[in-house]
Amino acid sequence: MQDGMPAILFRNLHKRYGALEVLKGISGQIQRGEVVAIIGSSGCGKSTLLRCFNRLEAINDGQLVVNSLDLSNPVLSRKTLLNLRANVGMVFQQFNLFPHMSVLENLTLAPCKVLGKADKEAARTARTYLDKVGLLEKAHAYPDQLSGGQKQRVAIARALCMEPDIMLFDEPTSALDPELVGEVLLVMKQLAEEGMTMVVVTHEMQFAKEVANRVIFLNQGQVEEEGDAREVLNYPKSERLKTFLSRMNFANA
């Protein structure tokens, strides 16, 4: 969808759970075709912000527009939510694959049920994206026959089968063994190079530096620092970000 609007726009965004305020009036925007990495310590609000972008969490105050849909209203119609979820893909820490379904069945379920695609068309699209993530030969395998890295690549392919305008990634490599991280990051890097709008909550600082256009550093529910990824990660201005990066063992390489 190209209408001149940013892919995501948020102004003075607040999110509370009872008395606990997780997001404290943050503002920003993500342009179409941009890759933005959101970084910060556990509990800073990264995943909460990402879940607001897909309306898995409703905001309490502020303005939030995602893919030209105004999500500021606390009550949204089912049609609006379906439109949002069809055009904003999300990949989670855990793979959330249906264990009783084959890989191909996992990939075709939503396109058939939500988009109304015919079985053959959905299967053709699924095979295209399985090939894209290097797992076409696993089409008829079941999730318990896959490694963690393969499961996450299948989860990415599943999100791509909806042919979204925006992809959200919530720490997609955090549940993986270290030797499996690279294969998932490679797929994400390829998507970025192809111009996919991506928001990535990540602890992979080198990936953020190499692939992201911008970095947003959250600290205690607020934007502490943001800007060009290499500039921010190589030359952090805030003491809090300097401390965070030193604890992540991130070198200016």
Side-chain angles (χ1 to χ4, degrees), residues 141-234:
Y142 284 81
D144 64 1
Q145 297 172 308
L146 305 177
S147 70
Q150 289 173 334
K151 289 176 185 176
Q152 193 60 292
R153 284 151 64 195
V154 167
I156 293 172
R158 178 181 56 185
L160 291 173
C161 281
M162 297 294 284
E163 301 188 316
D165 297 317
I166 301 168
M167 285 283 285
L168 309 176
F169 295 86
D170 189 5
E171 298 192 39
T173 60
S174 65
L176 300 179
D177 293 332
E179 65 269 22
L180 301 177
V181 168
E183 64 189 59
V184 174
L185 295 182
L186 191 62
V187 171
M188 294 171 63
K189 185 174 182 180
Q190 181 185 353
L191 290 176
E193 290 170 350
E194 293 171 355
M196 174 65 76
T197 305
M198 297 166 56
V199 186
V200 185
V201 170
T202 185
H203 287 297
E204 301 288 342
M205 295 299 108
Q206 195 63 36
F207 172 80
K209 177 182 172 182
E210 292 175 2
V211 178
N213 303 108
R214 284 192 298 123
V215 164
I216 297 174
F217 173 60
L218 292 186
N219 182 35
Q220 297 182 350
Q222 296 180 310
V223 177
E224 177 91 8
E225 191 167 338
E226 69 172 306
D228 175 83
R230 296 192 178 197
E231 184 73 20
V232 168
L233 294 175
N234 280 336

Side-chain angles (χ1 to χ4, degrees), residues 8-75:
I8 300 174
L9 173 68
F10 50 104
R11 292 192 181 116
N12 196 29
L13 194 151
H14 291 261
K15 175 61 185 177
R16 294 182 293 274
Y17 298 99
L20 177 64
E21 189 171 28
V22 179
L23 299 175
K24 304 174 182 178
I26 67 175
S27 300
Q29 60 184 27
I30 292 154
Q31 301 299 328
R32 298 190 186 279
E34 191 175 31
V35 179
V36 175
I38 302 177
I39 64 173
S41 301
S42 296
C44 71
K46 308 185 300 294
S47 292
T48 299
L49 178 60
L50 200 73
R51 290 169 68 85
C52 289
F53 292 163
N54 206 28
R55 194 47 187 263
L56 293 175
E57 300 285 354
I59 65 173
N60 295 108
D61 296 295
Q63 181 184 22
L64 175 59
V65 180
V66 179
N67 212 33
S68 300
L69 293 173
D70 190 344
L71 306 186
S72 308
N73 191 325
V75 180

